Amino acid sequence: MDKLVIEGGHRLRGSLPISGSKNTALALMAAALLPDGPSTFTNIPDLKDIDTFSKVIRVTGAGVDFDAAGHTLRIDPTPLAHPEAPYELVKRMRASFYMLGALLGRCGRARVSLPGGCAWGPRPVDLHLEGMKALGAEVELDKGYVVARARGGRLEGGTFRLEPSSVGATVNLVLAAATARGHSRIENAAIEPDVVVFCEALHAMGARIEGIGTRTLEIEGVTTLRPVTFANCADRIELGTFMIAALLAGTPGDTITLEQAGAGHLGQAFLDAFRATGAELHAETDRVHVTVPDEVRAVSIETDVYPGFPTDLQAQWTVLMTQAKGNAKIVDRIYLDRFKHVPELRRMGANAIVVGNEVVVEGTSRLQGTTVMSTDLRGSVSLVLAGLVAEGETHVLRVYHLDRGYEKLEEKLSRAGIVIRRTTYDEFADPLLEHPHEA
Ligand code: EPZ
C-alpha cells in the first residue's frame, strides 16, 4: 500500500498547476450517456475516481477512452445496452449513483446499487429517490439495489423541492428531467460551480434548461441530445487546498501562484475568510496569486452550501488554524461529523477539540511529524498539509484516499520546494514481531 512521506520545514515557493475539477468531471461523464453519439471532454483530471466511474460506465456497454496525459476523455453511449451499476463499483465512489438519472434519462429504466456510507456519515439518497418518483419513475429497493422504471418507457417530468439543497440530487434529477416527456421544475437546486458547469454542458447538448446558476431550474424535456466537445472547469477544492498550503508553508512576503484556475468558483465566504487571515489575494482569469502575510490570523468559519464556505475545505482550514495567531472555531453545517482527521492532527500535537459538529482549534501549536492515517479524501490532504509544517518526517498512510481527488500531488509539491516522496509499506506488518527491541 502507498504512503506519502513529508519532511517538514521546507518552504513552498513559485507556482503550482491546478487540475480539472473532479466533481464536475463526474457529472459531465454521466451527462455523456444521454446524447445520440460520442462526446469529448477536455481538462479531465487523471484521478482514481475518474477511473472508477469509467469502469462503472463501461459495465453498461458504453465506450470510454481516457487519454490521461492529454486529460481528454471520450464517451460513446451508442453501444449502451445494460442499464446497470454494480455494487462492487458503486461502493467505491458515491457519485456512481448519477447512473440512476443518466440511465433513466436514456433508457427509461435502471438498476443501480445504493451507495454505502462513507468515513464520516450515512450519506442518504432519499432526495434522489423521492425526486425520481416526482418525475414519474417507479422506484423499488431490491437486495441493496434501486430498481427504477419510467412508466410508459419515458419519464413524465414534474416538480420537486430539495430540502436540504443537494449537489448530487440536483445533478441526478437534471439528468433524468432533460429527456423527460414534459416540463420539470427543481426547487432549491444546488448552485455549486460543479452543478452550473454540468448544466451548461447539457445546454450545449441541446437540453432546454432555464435558470442555470439559480436555485430554480425549469427544464423542458427533449427527445434527443447532441454530442459535444466540452472543456471541464478547474478544481476549486484543489485550488483552495493549495492556497491554504501557501499560507502554511510559504515565506512571508513571498507570492505563490496557482495556475490554470480563477478564483470565481471558490465562493465569497472562502475568499473573505482567506483575506481575513491577512493574506493578500490577486486573481486573474486563469491564475491566482497569494502573497503570504507575516502572520496568519485565526479566522472562525462555518461551512454552508455555495457560495458558503465549502465543506470540502473544512479539514484543510482546520490545519491552517493550528498555525494561526489566536483560536478559531470551525463548524460544519453540511456534514455533522466530518472530523476524522482531528484525532490524527492531535497525535501530531495540534490543540483541537471536537464538540458535536464543531472543532475549536488553538493557534500556533507546534506540530511533530509522525505516522498518521488517512480516513477520507479531504482528511488525507489535511494530514499532508500538517506535514509541511511539522517538525521532522510525517508518514501519511492509506493515500489511496488522497489519490481519488488530487492529481500528482507529490510531483506538484516537489516542484514547488517541498520534500515529499511516495513509497510503499506493509499495512499489516507487525513491528513487535519483526523488530521487538525497536517497537
Ligand atoms: C457532493 O457530494 C460532493 N461530491 C462532495 O464532495 C461534497 O462534500 C458535497 O457535494 C457537499 O458540497 C461530488 O460532487 C461527487 P450533497 P453529495 O448531496 O452530492 C444531505 C469530495 O470531497 N442529503 O450535496 O453527496 C447530505 O446528507 C466530496 O469531493 C440528504 O439528506 O452531497 C448532506 O448533509 C466529498 N439526502 C447534504 O445533503 C440526499 O438524498 C449535502 O449533500 C442527499 C443529500
Side-chain angles (χ1 to χ4, degrees):
M1 199 173 284
D2 283 7
K3 66 176 174 179
L4 288 177
V5 181
I6 305 104
E7 191 177 288
H10 296 270
R11 309 316 297 168
L12 192 71
R13 53 172 167 67
S15 68
L16 295 104
I18 302 299
S19 299
S21 165
K22 163 178 86 85
N23 291 345
T24 311
L26 295 170
L28 293 176
M29 290 170 76
L33 296 182
L34 295 176
D36 57 1
S39 294
T40 299
F41 299 109
T42 57
N43 199 23
I44 300 294
D46 181 11
L47 297 171
K48 192 77 192 121
D49 273 8
I50 303 298
D51 181 53
T52 301
F53 203 28
S54 298
K55 288 190 173 95
V56 172
I57 291 174
R58 287 193 190 102
V59 162
T60 68
V64 183
D65 299 297
F66 185 37
D67 162 12
H71 297 105
T72 301
L73 183 79
R74 182 179 182 276
I75 293 182
D76 182 2
T78 322
L80 195 157
H82 188 60
E84 292 225 0
Y87 171 71
E88 293 71 19
L89 289 170
V90 174
K91 74 178 179 182
R92 287 188 213 162
M93 189 198 61
R94 171 185 172 73
S96 308
F97 204 59
Y98 291 161
M99 292 303 281
L100 178 64
L103 294 173
L104 269 178
R106 182 183 182 85
C107 322
R109 59 196 174 94
R111 184 172 181 274
V112 178
S113 168
L114 275 170
C118 71
W120 69 77
R123 307 290 295 277
V125 289
D126 54 308
L127 295 173
H128 299 242
L129 302 183
E130 292 313 307
M132 293 304 171
K133 289 177 192 167
L135 298 185
E138 289 168 352
V139 176
E140 287 165 12
L141 298 186
D142 176 38
K143 302 187 190 69
Y145 279 75
V146 173
V147 180
R149 201 173 60 76
R151 278 188 293 275
R154 190 178 171 201
L155 291 174
E156 284 302 314
T159 294
F160 189 72
R161 179 172 182 78
L162 293 168
E163 281 302 347
S165 177
S166 153
V167 168
T170 303
V171 168
N172 235 342
L173 294 177
V174 170
L175 286 165
T179 59
R181 201 186 307 279
H183 177 87
S184 299
R185 182 164 68 243
I186 300 169
E187 298 175 350
N188 199 26
I191 56 170
E192 271 68 3
D194 323 328
V195 176
V196 172
V197 173
F198 154 77
C199 287
E200 284 165 354
L202 272 178
H203 190 259
M205 290 176 178
R208 292 172 54 191
I209 308 177
E210 297 299 324
I212 294 177
T214 74
R215 292 202 178 283
T216 302
L217 295 175
E218 304 277 3
I219 301 164
E220 280 306 326
V222 294
T223 48
T224 55
L225 291 171
R226 56 180 177 274
V228 292
T229 294
F230 190 86
N232 181 24
C233 60
D235 194 303
R236 62 198 175 99
I237 304 302
E238 185 187 29
L239 172 62
T241 302
F242 286 165
M243 288 168 66
I244 290 168
L247 299 191
L248 279 164
T251 304
D254 247 7
T255 295
I256 290 161
T257 298
L258 292 325
E259 304 280 359
Q260 298 153 206
H265 283 182
L266 285 164
Q268 200 53 48
F270 177 82
L271 294 173
D272 291 348
F274 193 78
R275 287 195 170 99
T277 64
E280 276 176 55
L281 180 61
H282 171 55
E284 298 179 62
T285 316
D286 63 355
R287 65 170 59 88
V288 175
H289 305 281
V290 171
T291 301
V292 184
D294 293 338
E295 187 174 75
V296 171
R297 290 194 291 265
V299 177
S300 295
I301 60 106
E302 294 194 3
T303 71
D304 202 345
V305 294
Y306 192 86
F309 193 104
T311 173
D312 292 351
L313 286 170
Q314 175 257 105
Q316 301 90 316
W317 193 262
T318 302
V319 175
L320 180 62
M321 291 302 107
T322 69
Q323 303 305 303
K325 184 152 181 52
N327 298 346
K329 182 159 84 169
I330 294 148
V331 182
D332 201 323
R333 297 212 173 285
I334 305 293
Y335 297 110
L336 305 183
D337 61 354
R338 192 177 185 173
F339 298 107
K340 296 288 182 299
H341 47 283
V342 174
E344 296 303 304
L345 293 173
R346 287 173 57 84
R347 291 186 58 247
M348 297 177 75
N351 295 322
I353 298 174
V354 177
V355 180
N357 67 327
E358 307 182 357
V359 55
V360 177
V361 187
E362 186 182 335
T364 56
S365 46
R366 202 170 52 78
L367 301 183
Q368 286 179 306
T370 184
T371 300
V372 288
M373 184 77 78
S374 305
T375 50
D376 58 270
L377 166 55
R378 308 303 173 183
S380 58
V381 84
S382 74
L383 298 175
V384 173
L385 294 180
L388 301 181
V389 294
E391 210 176 290
E393 275 193 351
T394 300
H395 293 231
V396 181
L397 307 186
R398 295 186 182 174
V399 288
Y400 60 82
H401 289 291
L402 187 133
D403 293 339
R404 292 188 50 187
Y406 287 89
E407 183 180 31
K408 298 188 175 58
L409 179 70
E410 64 271 26
E411 212 172 290
K412 292 182 179 181
L413 289 176
S414 299
R415 286 219 187 100
I418 298 302
V419 177
I420 178 173
R421 71 180 193 280
R422 179 183 290 257
T423 181
T424 56
Y425 72 102
D426 177 354
E427 172 90 349
F428 303 103
D430 185 335
L432 283 170
L433 293 180
E434 287 159 29
H435 309 286
H437 59 290
E438 285 172 14

